[in-house]
Amino acid sequence: ATSAVAATPVPQPRIVVIDRAAIMQFSKAGQDIAKQIQTYAAQAKTDLTAQGRALQTEGRALQQQVAILAPDIKAKRVAAFQAKEQALQGAAQKKDEQLKAGLFAARQQMEKALGPILQTIVKERGANMVLDKQAVVYASNPAFDITGEAIQKLNEKMPSYHVTLQAPPAPSSAVAQK
């Protein structure tokens, strides 16, 4: 069996290069996704900042009251305030996770749309290997780079994408057990 594998000639590599980061940054859908994520993030920051300011005001009022409150009432109010602080931190973390999950899902959809495009370009060019530009140390000819063509075809196929915020994927059972 080893001699049969060794006897099979290795095909001559015919390589094209793609810059995935440039596709995400310069395609219409990639720009649309980035703009939506920035809008969602700015809205979340505005909401959380307002809640944070209200909490700070409440904290200052509580500090002024603690000296005159009975110990049991003081403990209840401090505990309630700390619960509000933790809830705000939790809300901020949840919103961040939703943004990341929405961005991840959007990028997956772009990759899904890009797959057949790359297959077509590779076939047209007679290539048998695609490398990410980040992995290429030197190329003697810019004709290897198919990024522009891929962006153009992706723009035709997917000119925009609606980002939806979503809950992050649940941790797998192996990760949860650690």
Side-chain angles (χ1 to χ4, degrees):
T2 352
S3 61
V5 173
T8 306
V10 176
Q12 191 67 11
R14 291 182 301 263
I15 301 170
V16 290
V17 176
I18 192 157
D19 188 341
R20 295 174 101 72
I23 290 172
M24 293 295 172
Q25 184 177 2
F26 298 115
S27 68
K28 289 179 181 178
Q31 291 174 347
D32 189 32
I33 290 166
K35 191 181 304 178
Q36 290 176 62
I37 291 293
Q38 288 173 350
T39 301
Y40 283 136
Q43 182 62 47
K45 183 178 178 184
T46 301
D47 294 346
L48 293 171
T49 299
Q51 291 175 23
R53 285 190 187 125
L55 198 58
Q56 285 176 341
T57 302
E58 185 179 332
R60 284 192 293 273
L62 181 61
Q63 283 178 340
Q64 292 172 354
Q65 295 173 0
V66 287
I68 59 171
L69 293 174
D72 59 330
I73 295 174
K74 174 180 163 182
K76 287 179 184 177
R77 288 197 181 166
V78 167
F81 179 76
Q82 289 172 341
K84 288 180 183 178
E85 281 182 321
Q86 290 175 349
L88 182 60
Q89 290 172 350
Q93 184 176 358
K94 181 179 178 184
K95 185 59 76 173
D96 184 55
E97 290 171 354
Q98 288 175 331
L99 285 167
K100 287 177 182 175
L103 178 60
F104 180 76
R107 286 189 173 177
Q108 279 186 318
Q109 288 302 312
M110 276 187 67
E111 291 285 339
K112 190 175 179 180
L114 188 60
I117 292 169
L118 289 179
Q119 289 174 351
T120 301
I121 295 171
V122 165
K123 189 175 181 182
E124 289 171 356
R125 298 271 184 114
N128 58 10
M129 187 181 301
V130 179
L131 291 178
D132 191 295
K133 192 170 187 174
Q134 307 302 323
V136 176
V137 176
Y138 173 77
S140 63
N141 189 333
F144 290 113
D145 192 335
I146 60 170
T147 304
E149 186 178 350
I151 289 173
Q152 178 185 1
K153 290 184 180 196
L154 182 62
N155 285 346
E156 293 168 7
K157 185 174 182 177
M158 186 181 194
S160 65
Y161 181 80
H162 177 71
V163 176
T164 54
L165 299 184
Q166 45 193 278
S172 68
S173 59
V175 173
Q177 291 175 355
K178 285 185 181 180

